[in-house]
Amino acid sequence: MRKLLAALAAVAAVGGPAMASDLPAQSPEPVAPIYVPFSWTGFYAGVNAGYGWNGADKIKDPTYYDTEHEYVGTFANGWFSGQRNSKRGSFTGGAQFGYNQQFGQFVVGIEADFNYLGQKTKYLADDITDIYEPIGDQNYNYHLREYLTPESKTEWFGTIRPRFGFTPVDRLLVYATGGLAYGQVKSSGNYNWHEYGYWWGGGGNADFDRSGGFSGSKSQVRWGWTIGAGAEYAITDHNTIKAEYLYVDLGKKNHVVVNPEDPGEFMTWKDSSRAHIVRVGLNYKF
């Protein structure tokens, strides 16, 4: 009996490891990846492009004055027989940079941008006078053309704005923004006239063709405010795209252009510079 038990123990000692090696190896339990949500915190810079259209009133109260002859000329009082008042939008494009800080689902930041804009507001008052009639013992053929043309053009603008945003889902930021705006506005005014004709009889003939006028322009940086909203999406950990609307108001201004050869002759008008901006942008997050 003892010999049998010893034999069985020897077989178990030899066969145990061999049998264990024949069993299939067990794979380690898979480890689930740790998901890290996107963070908006950090500095960024980028470019933008879009369209701006004029949100301002058209040019108001264009008036011609000649104090020596006590002339005051407007379309309203009949001095000019025609008028055209127009506004024109333009392409806008520029660059921006800023910083965001995220707190949970809320994001606060500040952004500055600088952009081209070429929108215009233009006015034209004109008058056409043609006279064909005898005057005394002369026959008179007379023609006069007058033009009064003020214009305002916003050439560029910039803003400095805080942004207040919320992330409804990961990588998407919706925000409101508003703050300081500034921009360069060029205002110009022209008054031109051209008279020509001839007369005959009364012992002689004569013809004439003469013209004159004056003009002036001024460019200045105006300050105002802006407000808007947008949405931005992170397409990678460093690149984001955005769509944005801004309303920019650079205020109103009264203008005077004086004839340098005759200070008593001048023109005046009022303008304002306001813009609706719709644009898209691309940012790089550092």
Side-chain angles (χ1 to χ4, degrees), residues 47-233:
V47 294
N48 69 78
Y51 185 78
W53 67 95
N54 201 317
D57 297 327
K58 295 178 181 179
I59 287 176
K60 291 185 175 181
D61 304 327
T63 306
Y64 165 76
Y65 294 89
D66 183 345
T67 56
E68 179 182 355
H69 300 93
E70 298 184 352
Y71 294 154
V72 178
T74 69
F75 174 78
N77 68 15
W79 183 278
F80 298 98
S81 58
Q83 70 170 349
R84 291 184 291 278
N85 209 338
S86 62
K87 299 187 292 185
R88 190 182 74 184
S90 80
F91 164 83
T92 180
Q96 68 274 347
F97 64 93
Y99 178 80
N100 290 319
Q101 182 69 48
Q102 185 166 354
F103 303 94
Q105 286 187 276
F106 296 94
V107 177
V108 295
I110 187 165
E111 181 174 290
D113 60 15
F114 186 84
N115 314 274
Y116 164 82
L117 181 64
Q119 70 176 26
K120 288 184 180 181
T121 304
K122 188 173 183 178
Y123 178 89
L124 170 64
D126 58 5
D127 187 71
I128 299 175
T129 301
D130 296 305
I131 300 175
Y132 305 90
E133 61 182 24
I135 299 178
D137 60 350
Q138 293 184 341
N139 292 303
Y140 200 58
N141 186 319
Y142 176 79
H143 308 277
L144 173 65
R145 307 291 186 263
E146 287 184 281
Y147 305 96
L148 185 71
T149 314
E151 180 178 302
S152 177
K153 179 182 179 182
T154 304
E155 298 180 315
W156 55 260
F157 77 95
T159 70
I160 302 173
R161 300 170 281 109
R163 301 200 308 171
F164 304 94
F166 177 74
T167 57
V169 296
D170 187 37
R171 294 183 174 268
L172 176 64
L173 172 67
V174 293
Y175 61 88
T177 185
L180 178 69
Y182 59 97
Q184 180 163 290
V185 182
K186 181 178 181 180
S187 300
S188 60
N190 299 273
Y191 170 72
N192 298 289
W193 59 268
H194 179 207
E195 66 176 356
Y196 60 95
Y198 60 92
W199 66 86
W200 67 95
N205 299 318
D207 58 20
F208 56 92
D209 190 336
R210 49 185 176 257
S211 60
F214 58 92
S215 63
S217 65
K218 182 178 181 180
S219 293
Q220 62 180 170
V221 175
R222 300 188 194 178
W223 295 85
W225 57 274
T226 181
I227 192 170
E232 190 166 358
Y233 184 77

Side-chain angles (χ1 to χ4, degrees), residues 8-69:
L8 291 174
V11 172
V14 175
M19 293 170 54
S21 64
D22 292 337
L23 295 175
Q26 292 185 348
S27 301
E29 290 289 333
V31 178
I34 299 175
Y35 178 74
V36 179
F38 178 79
S39 173
W40 291 91
T41 296
F43 290 94
Y44 63 90
V47 294
N48 69 78
Y51 185 78
W53 67 95
N54 201 317
D57 297 327
K58 295 178 181 179
I59 287 176
K60 291 185 175 181
D61 304 327
T63 306
Y64 165 76
Y65 294 89
D66 183 345
T67 56
E68 179 182 355
H69 300 93

